[in-house]
């Protein structure tokens, strides 16, 4: 009698599993996403990240949860993302420090920004405001310089983050103006602004998002702003170029990143989602109210932007001898 195989439900399923192509993976994303912010809550980077995360949640139909992992000028959180699985569920939103830190830190980051991270989108950028304490009776940037040179022991600068755009702008201003005054590093923008408003420090250069509110509240005075033109939020404040310091032209910017080797379909989904978010009229209005220009550029254009920013940052680091 010829052999006749007996097929059970189990054997049929096993045979199909071998014979048929693998089941298509679930469409990305199919679970919540962590968006790491490598700075403390309450600062400019955190505010941008939470605004973007709220809209990404709607666009991707999955929760995007902001996780603050502060420390080491943003390298702790950035390294955590660089070492995470390349599946698109752990992402990074950070500022320009991610490309500046390798130039200025004694203990170099344990990851390579270019090799270990995927640059996805430039989210937004904007100018920096030069603000002074209420007890500094300077009427302009030139007047501040004159008074600081006459009494250098009475003047100093606050910096809210080592290697941040504001830090580079301060050192660039000091270098160009020949100011022999110290820079005091704080663990965040908030405590730096508190001491500035209290008169413990003399000046600070910081994003409008955090520095303009106390100016409008009469607690600080704005003397100059970076950028090629005046800000509509502070039309009476001259640019550094108008004030006689055209080289002091740094901007603050915020980028969206993932770990290296992300699948192309994940890259496409994320880049497209961020472009939709920053193009949203309500988000554009929020960015404008903070003195920021939404962008969304991705791929080769964002990488070219990073290269240009890196060159400019390294030039001022070398010229002003900035290091830990």
């Amino acid at each position: 009698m010829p052999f006749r195989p007996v097929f059970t439900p189990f054997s049929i399923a096993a045979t199909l599993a071998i014979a048929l192509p693998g089941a298509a993976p679930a469409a990305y994303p199919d679970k919540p996403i962590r968006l790491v912010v490598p700075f403390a809550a309450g600062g400019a980077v955190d505010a941008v990240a939470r605004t973007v995360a709220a809209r990404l949640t709607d666009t991707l139909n999955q929760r995007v949860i902001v996780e603050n992992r502060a420390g080491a000028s943003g390298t702790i959180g950035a390294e955590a993302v660089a070492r995470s699985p390349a599946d698109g569920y752990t992402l990074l939103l950070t500022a320009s420090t991610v490309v500046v830190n390798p130039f200025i830190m004694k203990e170099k980051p344990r990851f390579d920004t270019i090799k270990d991270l995927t640059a996805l989108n430039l989210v937004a950028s904007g100018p920096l405001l030069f603000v002074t304490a209420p007890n500094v009776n300077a009427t302009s940037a030139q007047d501040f310089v004159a008074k600081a040179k006459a009494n250098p022991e009475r003047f100093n600068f606050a910096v809210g983050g080592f290697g941040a755009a504001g830090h580079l702008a301060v050192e660039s201003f000091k270098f160009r103006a020949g100011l022999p005054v110290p820079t005091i590093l704080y663990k965040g923008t908030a405590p730096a602004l508190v001491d500035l408003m209290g008169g413990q420090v003399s000046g600070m250069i910081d994003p409008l998002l955090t520095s303009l509110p106390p100016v409008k509240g009469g607690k600080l005075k704005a003397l100059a702003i970076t950028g090629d033109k005046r800000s509509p939020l502070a039309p009476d404040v001259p640019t550094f170029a108008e004030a006689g310091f055209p080289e002091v032209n740094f901007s603050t910017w915020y980028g969206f990143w993932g770990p290296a080797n992300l699948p192309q379909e994940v890259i496409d989904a994320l880049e497209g989602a961020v472009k939709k978010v920053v193009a949203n009229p309500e988000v554009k209005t929020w960015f404008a109210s903070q003195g920021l220009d939404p962008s969304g550029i991705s791929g080769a254009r964002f990488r070219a932007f990073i290269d240009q920013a890196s060159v400019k940052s390294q030039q001022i680091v070398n010229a002003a001898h900035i290091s830990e």
Side-chain angles (χ1 to χ4, degrees), residues 119-123 254-256 270-272 274-275 296-298 302:
L120 295 168
N121 300 79
L122 173 65
V123 175
Y254 307 92
F256 190 62
L270 290 170
E271 289 180 348
V274 171
K275 288 178 182 178
I297 63 169
S298 60
F302 184 30

Side-chain angles (χ1 to χ4, degrees), residues 129-153:
L129 198 62
F130 173 28
V131 290
T132 59
N135 60 346
V136 175
N137 297 316
T139 57
S140 67
Q142 292 281 5
D143 189 30
F144 181 96
V145 169
K147 286 180 167 61
K149 285 183 175 180
N151 297 282
E153 71 283 354

Side-chain angles (χ1 to χ4, degrees), residues 37-41 45-46 67-71 73-75 93-95 97 161-162:
V37 174
F39 297 98
V45 181
D46 182 66
E67 178 182 315
N68 296 92
R69 297 194 65 173
S73 298
T75 60
L93 195 149
T94 189
T97 49
F162 187 74

Side-chain angles (χ1 to χ4, degrees), residues 23-43:
Y28 172 85
D30 64 350
K31 62 181 180 180
I33 296 169
R34 282 193 309 148
L35 181 58
V36 175
V37 174
F39 297 98

